[in-house]
Amino acid sequence: METAFNQFNKSNFSWAEYFSDKKKGGHRYSTEEFLYKEAKEKLFHLSGGKSLLDFGCGAGELLIYYVPNYERVVGVDFSSSMLFEAEKKVWEQNYKNVDLILADDRTIWNRLNLSFDRITAAAVVQYLTPEQIDAFVRDASDYLNEGGKIVFFDIIDPRIYSLWKIGWFSQNFKFRNTLTKAGFGCFRQLSAVLKNRPKDIIGDAHNPYLIEKIARNNGFTMEYINSMYYEYRYHAILSKIS
């Protein structure tokens, strides 16, 4: 659940420490039905390939649905507790084409011995700074096969998140009442959007123009797609410029 935590503002805060004992990802629902639908949407946008690197695979809630569609899958996460849960899922399904690696965005590249048709990360970019995203794209490009793609799923859009927060996408949304209710917090919301740090989410939001700039600087084009199951998130599909 995306909630405000005071510890995020502490100077000694560590994502690795925060996720050290987590056993579930931050999906909207944890039912098998919902996870299956979410995975199907992502597989549609991954659009093929034979090998997949799932960076930030977490507890494997989506990875387990990716595996049957690829000849080789590598799941990566820096949380040992999450990776243990993913390992259990792989073992239960008796999948033999999966490797799981404990690593982060800096250490993973020295652990790989193959390249990939697709490199993906779902709801991970919010935990990275713009500099880290740039470095990730640069490093990942060295491990892409010809025609390969980098696909970032479910990036928080700071422009849309504030609208979602006041109920803009709700069937019961009433503009006048909501505007009156939100009036006091408008300045605070606007300030948070400009800083890419809405007050009540975990991590950062990143404007799609920033991601597109990073893509171009590293020789990629970017396709923007609205997330199907998270109204305030978007997908960024990066394709190498030939």
Side-chain angles (χ1 to χ4, degrees):
M1 179 181 295
E2 290 175 341
T3 329
F5 292 89
N6 292 331
Q7 65 263 40
F8 295 158
N9 297 320
K10 295 180 179 179
S11 59
N12 62 346
F13 175 76
S14 165
W15 284 120
E17 182 178 348
Y18 173 75
F19 282 106
S20 63
D21 61 350
K22 298 295 184 292
K23 296 183 178 181
K24 290 184 178 181
H27 302 277
R28 175 163 288 177
Y29 305 108
S30 59
T31 64
E32 291 299 320
E33 180 183 8
F34 177 79
L35 293 172
Y36 172 77
K37 290 179 179 178
E38 184 178 336
K40 290 291 286 185
E41 182 219 359
K42 289 169 169 56
L43 282 166
F44 174 81
H45 294 305
L46 287 169
S47 65
K50 295 183 178 180
S51 54
L52 173 73
L53 172 64
D54 184 9
F55 178 78
C57 68
E61 289 105 329
L62 298 177
L63 177 139
I64 207 68
Y65 294 106
Y66 296 160
V67 174
N69 297 273
Y70 289 89
E71 294 179 5
R72 182 76 181 276
V73 174
V74 175
V76 180
D77 207 278
F78 68 1
S79 169
S80 57
S81 60
M82 288 280 215
L83 216 57
F84 180 67
E85 296 301 315
E87 186 175 26
K88 289 195 295 185
K89 292 181 177 66
V90 170
W91 182 82
E92 288 169 358
Q93 296 294 329
N94 197 32
Y95 288 137
K96 304 296 185 183
N97 59 330
V98 188
D99 290 314
L100 298 175
I101 300 176
L102 183 67
D104 60 23
D105 57 296
R106 293 173 293 105
T107 59
I108 178 53
W109 312 111
N110 292 330
R111 305 281 304 278
L112 299 174
N113 58 6
L114 73 158
S115 54
F116 301 88
D117 296 327
R118 300 290 184 269
I119 296 177
T120 187
V124 169
V125 171
Q126 69 196 66
Y127 306 119
L128 302 177
T129 66
E131 294 75 19
Q132 288 174 312
I133 299 169
D134 182 75
F136 183 91
V137 173
R138 185 171 60 252
D139 291 334
S141 65
D142 293 333
Y143 289 85
L144 273 183
N145 294 327
E146 184 176 354
K149 297 179 180 181
I150 301 172
V151 184
F152 293 131
F153 287 120
D154 295 325
I155 304 171
I156 299 173
D157 190 330
R159 307 165 305 170
I160 299 176
Y161 179 78
S162 295
L163 295 176
W164 175 81
K165 187 64 180 177
I166 64 173
W168 187 275
F169 302 101
S170 171
Q171 292 181 344
N172 298 321
F173 177 77
K174 295 181 179 179
F175 182 79
R176 183 176 180 180
N177 292 345
T178 303
L179 187 63
T180 302
K181 179 181 178 182
F184 178 76
C186 282
F187 177 79
R188 184 176 60 183
Q189 288 279 6
L190 178 60
S191 176
V193 167
L194 292 175
K195 293 178 182 178
N196 289 342
R197 177 64 70 90
K199 294 295 184 179
D200 53 354
I201 65 170
I202 300 175
D204 291 333
H206 295 293
N207 192 296
Y209 295 112
L210 168 68
I211 305 300
E212 186 175 21
K213 180 179 179 181
I214 291 173
R216 288 200 312 268
N217 288 345
N218 286 282
F220 288 84
T221 60
M222 189 196 96
E223 181 182 1
Y224 173 99
I225 298 174
N226 289 317
S227 175
M228 180 179 292
Y229 294 105
Y230 303 92
E231 301 88 345
Y232 54 93
R233 294 178 182 265
Y234 66 95
H235 310 322
I237 302 177
L238 279 56
S239 302
K240 197 74 175 178
I241 300 174
S242 56

